């Protein structure tokens, strides 16, 4: 086994294979600054090279963990000293942008923001968007079925992938680079890899669906008195603006207060509202859309749905509003802190959040539980801090967040995936039969259990 570094160097060239010592010069992930543990880190440049790496590892029973931008939230890319890490960092080609068919064909290591910028030059958008856009990769977005802030209008990654190429555990290349919206010729095999978190194959190339760039954008941050006002506003906007609502991001009042104030983000609205919403509406005609947006917002104020509102007057002001929602670093001054990503029906949200907070307060009177959500997608994120010292706090917090989910049919993962962090809780959201079929798929595609072992299942 110790010879695997030499064999990989032989196959790929020495420069593309770092040994354990060189790998230690890197951090483990965005969330974990400890040195990366690996037997070797390989940096292939093409699907053919990925195939060679996997074939060699398969022959030698060598386990592999695939790395994209390392922004994943569920410890899905963790490795140890016996792992070969396969990084897609050298597979960054944007191979084609088809302005007529509205598709882009890319290698999996392309960083999300780079693709967004590249297609915008052609008057098109790639609408999957998330706070990690500057680091996360298209391959990682596929592998986690990423969601983000525009799902309400454009869907998750699964809705944007038309085709992909993946390398199976034994090195077989499965090229399924479909470019059409419609293709019902048998099973849709690409879906197997979307959201599979690197456990069924390594995604090497992707065809994604683009949309026309919108020409108008109107944004606002509003303060609201109750959760009924939040859902009322969402309905009002959806009824009045057709399909033009592209973001509706809710912040519970405590979150807003904890990330604004002295030394943190500047609060653009009074800090005593019960809820805040960052909303965005995009359309095709500035002359029509902006007056319509203003009228719809006035109606919301007149009907008492909204208590207060701020409308940015420049891109700088707009970005500053989004920072409040997307840059939650001020919360991380408290440690430990546990991040959650659950989904549940909107009508259950208010009671569910209250129950989780009550459970946490009963366990730890000084605890904090800040909440934000893509509520139009049924998705909430919690940031939980116990506020005291103790053992097994993460597991206890998990219990308080997940136990009330089961009776309402919620999911322990809306968009982050399972990784290793949520593996013990998969059974809350999936039946025994579903998990058994997942295992059958894993055994069929990766019988030696070499690809990202111990993740998801
Ligand atoms: C500030 C911040 C905000 C975020 N906001 C959101 C959000 O709004 N919505 C959301 O969904 N997520 C969000 N995330 C989580 C994260 O950005 C996404 O999960 C993202 O899709 C991960 O991409 P990555 O390239 O960083 O993947 P990595 O973290 O490198 O990997 C994630 C998983 O995918 C596997 N993988 C990576 N590349 C491949 C490949 N080519 N083939 C096969 N498997 C692969 C890895 O082995 C691992 O299991 C956020 C993260 C941060 C830090």
């Amino acid at each position: 086994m110790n010879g695997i570094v030499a064999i990989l160097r032989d196959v790929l060239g020495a420069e593309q294979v770092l040994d354990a010592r060189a790998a230690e010069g890197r951090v483990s992930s965005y969330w974990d600054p400890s040195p990366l543990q690996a037997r070797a880190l390989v940096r292939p440049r093409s699907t053919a090279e990925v195939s060679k790496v996997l074939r060699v590892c398969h022959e030698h029973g060598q386990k592999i963990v695939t790395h994209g931008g390392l922004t994943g939230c569920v410890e899905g890319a963790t490795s140890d000293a016996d792992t070969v890490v396969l990084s897609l960092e050298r597979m960054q080609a944007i191979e084609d942008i088809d302005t007529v068919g509205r598709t882009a064909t890319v290698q999996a290591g392309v960083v999300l923001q780079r693709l967004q910028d590249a297609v915008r030059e052609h008057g098109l958008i790639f609408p999957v968007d998330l706070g990690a856009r500057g680091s996360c990769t298209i391959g990682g977005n596929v592998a986690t079925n990423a969601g983000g802030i525009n799902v309400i209008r454009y869907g998750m990654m699964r809705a944007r992938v038309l085709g992909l190429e993946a390398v199976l555990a034994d090195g077989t290349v499965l090229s399924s680079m479909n470019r059409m919206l419609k293709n019902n010729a048998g099973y849709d095999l690409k879906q197997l890899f979307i959201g599979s978190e690197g456990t069924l194959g390594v995604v090497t190339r992707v065809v994604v669906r683009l949309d026309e760039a919108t020409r108008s954008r109107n944004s606002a941050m509003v303060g609201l008195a109750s959760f009924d006002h939040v859902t009322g506003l969402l309905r009002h906007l959806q009824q009045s603006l057709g399909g033009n609502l592209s973001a509706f991001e809710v912040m519970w009042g405590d979150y807003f207060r904890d990330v604004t104030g002295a030394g943190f983000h500047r609060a653009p609205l009074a800090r005593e509202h019960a809820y805040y919403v960052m909303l965005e509406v995009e359309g095709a005609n500035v002359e029509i859309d902006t007056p319509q947006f203003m009228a719809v917002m006035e109606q919301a104020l007149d009907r008492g749905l909204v208590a207060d509102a701020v409308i940015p007057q420049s891109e700088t002001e707009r970005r500053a509003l989004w920072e409040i929602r997307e840059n939650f670093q001020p919360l991380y001054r408290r440690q430990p802190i546990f991040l959650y990503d659950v989904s549940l029906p909107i009508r259950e949200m208010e009671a569910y959040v209250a129950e989780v907070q009550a459970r946490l307060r009963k366990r730890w009177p000084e605890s904090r539980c800040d909440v934000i959500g893509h509520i139009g997608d049924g998705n909430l994120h919690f940031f939980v801090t116990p506020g005291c010292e103790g053992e097994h706090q993460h597991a206890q917090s998990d219990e308080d967040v997940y136990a009330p989910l089961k009776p309402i049919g919620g999911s322990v993962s809306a968009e982050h995936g399972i990784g290793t962090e949520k593996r013990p809780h998969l059974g809350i959201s999936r039946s025994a039969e579903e998990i058994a079929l997942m295992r059958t798929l894993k055994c069929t595609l990766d019988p030696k259990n070499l690809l990202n072992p111990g993740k998801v299942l």
Side-chain angles (χ1 to χ4, degrees):
M1 184 66 77
N2 282 337
I4 194 81
V5 177
I7 298 168
L8 287 167
R9 283 189 166 154
D10 204 33
V11 168
L12 277 195
E15 197 267 330
Q16 279 170 259
V17 182
L18 306 184
D19 63 13
R21 208 151 156 217
E24 268 187 21
R26 298 176 170 220
V27 296
S28 294
S29 77
Y30 173 91
W31 306 95
D32 176 5
S34 64
L36 177 64
Q37 299 294 304
R39 191 184 292 276
L41 183 144
V42 295
R43 300 176 289 176
R45 292 197 171 90
S46 63
T47 303
E49 288 188 352
V50 173
S51 169
K52 282 184 193 170
V53 172
L54 265 60
R55 188 163 296 129
V56 164
C57 289
H58 195 252
E59 274 166 26
H60 291 82
Q62 170 62 56
K63 65 180 175 180
I64 300 161
V65 172
T66 306
H67 279 190
L70 291 178
T71 64
C73 301
V74 289
E75 296 172 5
T78 51
S79 57
D80 60 25
D82 295 328
T83 308
V84 164
V85 167
L86 189 155
S87 168
L88 275 292
E89 68 199 47
R90 290 190 168 175
M91 294 185 57
Q92 299 233 16
I94 296 177
E95 297 175 358
D96 179 53
I97 295 172
D98 176 352
T99 55
V100 178
R102 296 197 301 198
T103 62
T105 304
V106 301
Q107 283 187 311
V110 168
V111 169
L112 171 61
Q113 190 165 19
R114 208 176 128 237
L115 176 63
Q116 291 172 333
D117 292 346
V119 302
R120 197 166 275 284
E121 284 176 22
H122 297 269
L124 295 165
I125 51 167
F126 179 62
V128 171
D129 195 20
L130 40 141
R133 62 183 75 77
S135 307
C136 65
T137 62
I138 297 300
N141 299 154
V142 171
T144 59
N145 185 26
I149 56 179
N150 292 333
V151 172
I152 194 169
R153 177 160 175 184
Y154 296 103
M156 294 176 78
M157 197 65 188
R158 194 181 292 286
R160 311 306 308 179
V161 176
L162 293 176
L164 57 74
E165 191 163 88
V167 182
L168 306 184
D170 65 359
T172 302
V173 176
L174 188 81
S175 198
S176 201
M177 296 291 279
N178 169 68
R179 289 158 172 260
M180 290 83 69
L181 201 51
K182 292 184 171 177
N183 185 348
N184 275 351
Y187 301 149
D188 190 357
L189 295 176
K190 68 174 183 290
Q191 299 296 350
L192 278 178
F193 302 94
I194 304 173
S196 68
E197 301 182 54
T199 59
L200 300 182
V202 177
V203 177
T204 51
R205 293 167 72 224
V206 188
V207 183
V208 292
R209 183 179 166 199
L210 307 174
D211 266 55
E212 290 303 325
T214 48
R215 299 202 178 121
S216 73
R217 178 159 61 200
N218 288 286
S219 318
M221 186 176 280
V222 298
L224 307 96
S226 73
F227 195 73
D228 282 346
H229 289 80
V230 174
T231 52
L233 177 65
L234 176 61
R235 191 95 202 274
H236 171 62
L237 296 175
Q238 285 172 325
Q239 284 173 335
S240 317
L241 295 164
N244 282 359
L245 182 66
S246 54
F248 189 86
E249 296 291 303
V250 183
M251 293 162 273
W252 267 242
D254 283 345
Y255 170 88
F256 185 88
R257 284 181 280 282
D258 284 348
V259 300
T260 57
F264 304 134
H265 305 305
R266 193 187 69 80
L269 293 166
R271 295 172 73 229
E272 70 267 13
H273 297 293
Y275 296 88
Y276 296 81
V277 173
M278 180 70 205
L279 60 97
E280 213 144 72
V281 179
E282 295 177 82
N285 188 321
V286 182
E287 273 93 57
I288 296 172
D289 297 337
T290 301
Q292 188 197 17
F293 173 74
M294 298 308 285
V296 169
M297 290 303 292
E298 263 168 45
Q299 283 164 9
L301 280 160
D302 292 346
R303 288 190 203 167
L305 287 171
V306 164
D308 200 1
V310 56
I311 293 179
Q313 301 300 313
S314 65
E315 179 57 19
T316 310
E317 285 183 19
R318 174 181 164 268
R319 279 293 353 140
L321 293 182
W322 269 111
E323 275 285 290
I324 294 169
R325 162 59 184 82
E326 290 190 328
N327 182 350
F328 37 74
Q329 279 308 317
L331 301 181
Y332 278 71
R333 72 191 188 279
R334 304 191 201 115
Q335 290 291 333
I337 185 162
F338 313 125
L339 169 64
Y340 294 92
D341 159 51
V342 296
S343 65
L344 63 156
I346 302 181
R347 63 172 51 183
E348 309 281 359
M349 279 182 183
E350 190 182 14
Y352 169 71
V353 170
E355 182 171 353
V356 169
Q357 289 178 331
R359 280 170 176 255
L360 288 165
R361 264 196 308 274
K362 190 168 169 210
R363 194 186 285 281
W364 300 306
E366 299 302 314
S367 64
R368 302 286 303 174
C369 175
D370 287 306
V371 187
I372 56 178
H374 318 278
I375 74 149
D377 319 331
N379 181 188
L380 295 178
H381 296 303
F382 291 91
F383 301 86
V384 174
T385 329
C388 60
E389 298 200 339
E391 288 188 353
H392 312 300
Q393 288 184 323
H394 201 164
Q396 290 167 341
S397 174
D398 287 355
E399 197 182 311
D400 289 341
V401 174
Y402 294 142
L405 260 188
K406 196 164 175 119
I408 52 176
S411 171
V412 297
S413 173
E415 57 178 10
H416 291 166
I418 295 295
T420 43
E421 194 186 292
K422 296 187 183 174
R423 201 180 50 178
H425 309 291
L426 185 61
I428 294 175
S429 311
R430 297 292 186 198
S431 67
E433 293 76 15
E434 285 175 305
I435 294 173
L437 184 55
M438 289 184 203
R439 284 192 197 286
T440 304
L441 284 170
K442 172 72 175 165
C443 286
T444 306
L445 291 177
D446 181 15
K448 293 187 180 178
N449 193 24
L450 298 178
L451 293 182
N452 222 356
K455 313 290 164 44
V456 184
L457 294 167

